[in-house]
C-alpha cells in the first residue's frame, strides 16, 4: 500500500530542471523572491542562472547563495566581451572554484547582434573555453548566426572534454547531432512550441532523448500560448509537452529523462 501511494506521489510530483535562466534580469524586479520561493512547490527543483554581462555574473552568485536549488554559471556572453580584461578573467577563474558555480556560461559567438568584432568574440570565447577546461566545469554555449565558427572553435579547443549544453539551438538537426557526437547536450526551450519553428522541431525529434535538456532563457522566449510575454521556469511543462508530442512519447518520460540529463551535465550527483 505504501509503495503504491509512493508510486502515485511520484507520478504527481513534477521534477523539472531549467538549465538556462536569467532571474537577475530587471523583468523580475517586482516579484523575483515571490516567484523563486514558489518554484520547488511547482516542481522546478533545479535552475542554473547564467552570466551574460559582468553584473549578471556577480548577481548570479548572489541568487545562488540565497536559493539552494539555484546554481550559478560564470561567463561572459559574446555581446559583452568588451567588458573583459585580465583582471576580470582572473576573477571569473576564482568564481569557477566556488561551490555555487556549476558551469561556465553563457559563452560563444553572436554574429547576429554583432556587438563586438568577430576577432574579439573568438578570442574571449577561446579563453573562456580554456578556463572551463582548467576548472573542469561544463560550458553553456550561445551561438547565433555563427554556427560554423562556433563548431570549429569548440572542436579545436574543447572536443567535448568538459561537455556542456548548446543553448537555444537554432542551426540544423544535422549540426545538433554533430555536437552530440562531441559529447554535448542540446538545450530546447520555448521556441519548440512556436508554429513556424521547423528547425527546432526537427532537432527535438532527431536528438536522442538522453542528450536533450530543457531551458527557458527567461525572461525571454516564453512558449506558446504565452509567446511575447515574460517567461519563467513555470512554463517549462509546455516545452516538455511539445517535445513529447513531437517524439510521440509521454510527457512524464521527457520530464524524467531531461531532469536526469540536466543533473548529469552539471554534475550535481557526483
Ligand atoms: Ni541566455
Amino acid at each position: 500500500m505504501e509503495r503504491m501511494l509512493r508510486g502515485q506521489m511520484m507520478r504527481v510530483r513534477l521534477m523539472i530542471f531549467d538549465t538556462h535562466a536569467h532571474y537577475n534580469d530587471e523583468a523580475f524586479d517586482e516579484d523575483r523572491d515571490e516567484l523563486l520561493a514558489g518554484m520547488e512547490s511547482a516542481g522546478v527543483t533545479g535552475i542554473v542562472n547564467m552570466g551574460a554581462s559582468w553584473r549578471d555574473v556577480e548577481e548570479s552568485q548572489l541568487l545562488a547563495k540565497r536559493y539552494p536549488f539555484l546554481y550559478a554559471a560564470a561567463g561572459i556572453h559574446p555581446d559583452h566581451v568588451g567588458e573583459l580584461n585580465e583582471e576580470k578573467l582572473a576573477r571569473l577563474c576564482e568564481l569557477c572554484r566556488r561551490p555555487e558555480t556549476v558551469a561556465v556560461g553563457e559563452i560563444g559567438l553572436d554574429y547576429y547582434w554583432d556587438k563586438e568584432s568577430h576577432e574579439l568574440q573568438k578570442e574571449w570565447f577561446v579563453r573562456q573555453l580554456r578556463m572551463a577546461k582548467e576548472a573542469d566545469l561544463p560550458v553553456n554555449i550561445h551561438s547565433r548566426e555563427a554556427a560554423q565558427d562556433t563548431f570549429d572553435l569548440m572542436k579545436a579547443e574543447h572536443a567535448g572534454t568538459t561537455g556542456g549544453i548548446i543553448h537555444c539551438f537554432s542551426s540544423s538537426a544535422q549540426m545538433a547531432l554533430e555536437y552530440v557526437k562531441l559529447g554535448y547536450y542540446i538545450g530546447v526551450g520555448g521556441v519548440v512550441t512556436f508554429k513556424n519553428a521547423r528547425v527546432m522541431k526537427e532537432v527535438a525529434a532527431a536528438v536522442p532523448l538522453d542528450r536533450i535538456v530543457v531551458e527557458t532563457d527567461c525572461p525571454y522566449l516564453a512558449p506558446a500560448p504565452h509567446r511575447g510575454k515574460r517567461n519563467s521556469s513555470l512554463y517549462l511543462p509546455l516545452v516538455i509537452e511539445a517535445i513529447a508530442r513531437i517524439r510521440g512519447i509521454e510527457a512524464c518520460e521527457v520530464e524524467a529523462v531531461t531532469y536526469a540529463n540536466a543533473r548529469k551535465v552539471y554534475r550535481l550527483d557526483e
Side-chain angles (χ1 to χ4, degrees), residues 20 22 50 77 106 142 167 217:
H20 185 123
H22 300 273
M50 289 293 131
H77 185 287
E106 57 186 297
H142 170 103
H167 137 73
D217 205 16

Side-chain angles (χ1 to χ4, degrees), residues 2-266:
E2 199 197 330
R3 184 179 293 171
M4 209 178 86
L5 274 175
R6 208 178 280 166
Q8 280 172 350
M9 271 166 66
M10 275 172 67
R11 272 200 297 280
V12 175
R13 176 120 185 89
L14 295 166
M15 290 284 258
I16 293 171
F17 200 117
D18 188 349
T19 58
H20 185 123
H22 300 273
Y23 278 108
N24 61 305
D25 191 281
E26 61 183 17
F28 298 109
D29 279 355
E30 296 280 298
D31 60 347
R32 181 176 299 106
D33 282 329
E34 202 187 327
L35 187 64
L36 286 174
M39 282 297 164
E40 284 181 300
S41 60
V44 180
T45 53
I47 295 171
V48 176
N49 207 72
M50 289 293 131
S53 68
W54 188 259
R55 205 176 126 188
D56 299 323
V57 169
E58 300 281 5
E59 288 177 357
S60 290
Q61 295 286 325
L62 295 177
L63 282 177
K65 281 202 166 66
R66 193 175 173 114
Y67 296 98
F69 59 89
L70 187 148
Y71 306 87
I76 299 294
H77 185 287
D79 287 355
H80 299 279
V81 289
E83 291 180 38
L84 271 170
N85 54 34
E86 298 304 323
E87 197 186 315
K88 283 193 173 136
L89 188 70
R91 168 85 176 138
L92 275 182
C93 292
E94 201 184 298
L95 293 178
C96 283
R97 289 195 295 271
R98 287 203 184 161
E100 293 86 2
T101 309
V102 295
V104 170
E106 57 186 297
I107 60 171
L109 301 172
D110 193 318
Y111 297 170
Y112 176 79
W113 292 109
D114 248 345
K115 293 218 172 128
E116 302 290 349
S117 75
H118 294 188
E119 284 320 301
L120 195 70
Q121 289 191 38
K122 283 186 201 167
E123 184 194 326
W124 285 112
F125 181 31
V126 166
R127 294 192 69 182
Q128 292 185 92
L129 283 173
R130 289 179 185 166
M131 177 180 81
K133 211 189 285 185
E134 232 162 76
D136 197 24
L137 285 180
V139 289
N140 201 292
I141 302 293
H142 170 103
S143 175
R144 196 160 179 200
E145 308 270 312
Q148 198 60 49
D149 278 5
T150 309
F151 186 75
D152 291 347
L153 276 182
M154 286 179 67
K155 204 166 176 185
E157 281 297 323
H158 231 226
T161 46
T162 63
I165 297 169
I166 315 297
H167 137 73
C168 197
F169 193 82
S170 58
S171 77
S172 67
Q174 194 194 351
M175 192 58 125
L177 292 172
E178 291 297 317
Y179 277 115
V180 168
K181 261 193 243 162
L182 275 188
Y184 289 89
Y185 290 74
I186 304 297
V188 176
V191 176
V192 77
T193 67
F194 299 170
K195 269 206 180 106
N196 54 356
R198 184 182 54 85
V199 172
M200 199 63 240
K201 289 185 206 295
E202 281 170 14
V203 167
V207 172
L209 189 59
D210 66 0
R211 285 288 162 173
I212 293 179
V213 292
V214 294
E215 60 174 31
T216 54
D217 205 16
C218 65
Y220 310 106
L221 297 175
H226 308 287
R227 191 173 179 174
K229 302 211 182 94
R230 184 183 79 170
N231 196 7
S232 90
S233 315
L234 300 177
Y235 290 157
L236 279 176
L238 293 164
V239 172
I240 287 167
E241 279 159 27
I243 297 171
R245 249 191 326 271
I246 289 164
R247 299 183 74 99
I249 57 177
E250 294 291 329
C252 60
E253 187 185 349
V254 175
E255 185 188 304
V257 176
T258 56
Y259 182 81
N261 293 346
R263 291 193 64 90
K264 195 167 172 206
V265 66
Y266 287 132

